[in-house]
Amino acid sequence: MERTAIITGANGFIGSHLVQRLVADGWQVHIIVRPNSRLDLLKQHMGSISIHRHDGKTESMAIIMEEVKPDVVFHLASLFLSKHHPKDIEGLVSSNVLFGAQLMEAMATVGISSLINTGTAWQHYKSNEYNPVNLYAATKQAFQDLVAYYVDAGKLKAVTLKLCDTYGSNDPRPKLFNLIVQRGVDEPPLDLSPGDQYIDIVHVSDVVQAYMVAADRLMAGGVTGHEIYSVTSGRPVKLKDFVEKIQRWLGMKGGVIWGAREYREREVMEPWVGPALPGWKPVVDMESVVRQGRKDTDHG
């Protein structure tokens, strides 16, 4: 049976990998983007997906929803800022709260009920039930509270996946994993914190599989309210050990100055681990990914 999905945030790192998986699995894939959104990460899929450019109006969102009538809506769109400035307030609220509210209202208006929302482990500073690391995390919680309304009012069924750190191929983000793996021999060393914080990192294909498992739960009727899960490796590692392990796999030495930078304000020293998504666990071996990535680079 043919299945149809709407994805927001499809032009991002995780979203583009989700598009790839859904297309490969035979889904009809529709994406909602802003009028000026770049689609560089989706170039190879342009002939397999339908693109809807949203003009910012709730009514327009409902028209898209009525036209597509998706089985599942995957909501990944967000504006991530580890630290905000006064000029960022409008963008954070618009991207992380308003846009999603318009999406859910459109779903409710048309009668589409299955939503997969994307949260962050950063909603749980010091592993508290709720304690946002930064304003970005606070806006993710604000949206989660809006999801609770639509679910409690009987308009939606929802699964929220709270993500930790991620890595994988074709990642344009300036993540530490990428900076280490892609670092050239002649590049200056990286200034890092003392490195005693623990990180939790999951390969993007494992993250995508979590979205697929959540979609199956929704379509099978196994979700009646709002289920919230943690997408985690379950194996947090000290940052210093993490970097040194990657360097060992790559046969690299040096390139890092530990303690050259201070810890960030509200640095997460131990990652939050929440309820596990039934039927999902990470399977990708990082060492294989790192070694294969270097092999591909050497032969590129």
Side-chain angles (χ1 to χ4, degrees), residues 111-153:
I112 305 301
S113 62
S114 294
L115 173 70
I116 300 177
N117 175 45
T118 306
T120 172
W122 279 14
Q123 291 168 243
H124 303 278
Y125 184 52
K126 296 184 177 180
S127 293
N128 293 159
E129 182 176 352
Y130 171 57
N131 187 351
V133 170
N134 52 15
L135 189 60
Y136 159 75
T139 60
K140 297 297 279 187
Q141 181 69 32
F143 180 71
Q144 183 178 312
D145 290 344
L146 295 184
V147 175
Y149 159 70
Y150 281 92
V151 170
D152 290 345

Side-chain angles (χ1 to χ4, degrees), residues 191-206:
D191 291 341
L192 299 180
S193 70
D196 290 325
Q197 68 270 49
Y198 282 75
I199 64 169
D200 193 337
I201 185 166
V202 178
H203 192 270
V204 66
S205 65
D206 282 330

Side-chain angles (χ1 to χ4, degrees), residues 178-235:
N178 301 327
L179 296 176
I180 296 295
V181 172
Q182 299 168 6
R183 182 180 175 275
V185 176
D186 298 327
E187 292 184 41
L190 297 172
D191 291 341
L192 299 180
S193 70
D196 290 325
Q197 68 270 49
Y198 282 75
I199 64 169
D200 193 337
I201 185 166
V202 178
H203 192 270
V204 66
S205 65
D206 282 330
V207 175
V208 166
Q209 178 61 18
Y211 281 96
M212 302 306 295
V213 169
D216 287 343
R217 286 181 64 81
L218 283 163
M219 290 189 296
V223 179
T224 57
H226 184 191
E227 298 182 354
I228 301 173
Y229 300 111
S230 169
V231 178
T232 170
S233 71
R235 299 183 300 274

Side-chain angles (χ1 to χ4, degrees), residues 14-154:
I14 298 173
S16 63
H17 280 268
L18 179 58
V19 167
Q20 181 178 9
R21 172 65 182 275
L22 290 169
V23 169
D25 285 0
W27 287 62
Q28 292 293 315
V29 178
H30 296 253
I31 70 171
I32 300 177
V33 297
R34 298 182 185 278
N36 59 349
S37 293
R38 297 184 59 176
L39 305 178
D40 298 6
L41 296 180
L42 297 172
K43 286 180 179 178
Q44 62 179 324
H45 306 298
M46 296 301 281
S48 305
I49 62 177
S50 299
I51 301 168
H52 305 267
R53 294 192 179 270
H54 180 232
D55 63 5
K57 298 178 182 178
T58 305
E59 295 80 6
S60 300
M61 188 76 81
I63 291 172
I64 296 171
M65 204 66 61
E66 178 66 41
E67 176 186 335
V68 177
K69 287 188 170 64
D71 296 292
V72 180
V73 174
F74 298 85
H75 181 43
L76 285 77
S78 70
L79 173 61
F80 170 77
L81 296 173
S82 60
K83 183 177 181 180
H84 77 277
H85 301 282
K87 65 180 178 61
D88 300 319
I89 298 298
E90 289 82 358
L92 279 167
V93 174
S94 176
S95 298
N96 299 346
V97 182
L98 175 60
F99 179 77
Q102 292 175 317
L103 184 73
M104 290 192 294
E105 183 64 20
M107 292 176 66
T109 299
V110 175
I112 305 301
S113 62
S114 294
L115 173 70
I116 300 177
N117 175 45
T118 306
T120 172
W122 279 14
Q123 291 168 243
H124 303 278
Y125 184 52
K126 296 184 177 180
S127 293
N128 293 159
E129 182 176 352
Y130 171 57
N131 187 351
V133 170
N134 52 15
L135 189 60
Y136 159 75
T139 60
K140 297 297 279 187
Q141 181 69 32
F143 180 71
Q144 183 178 312
D145 290 344
L146 295 184
V147 175
Y149 159 70
Y150 281 92
V151 170
D152 290 345

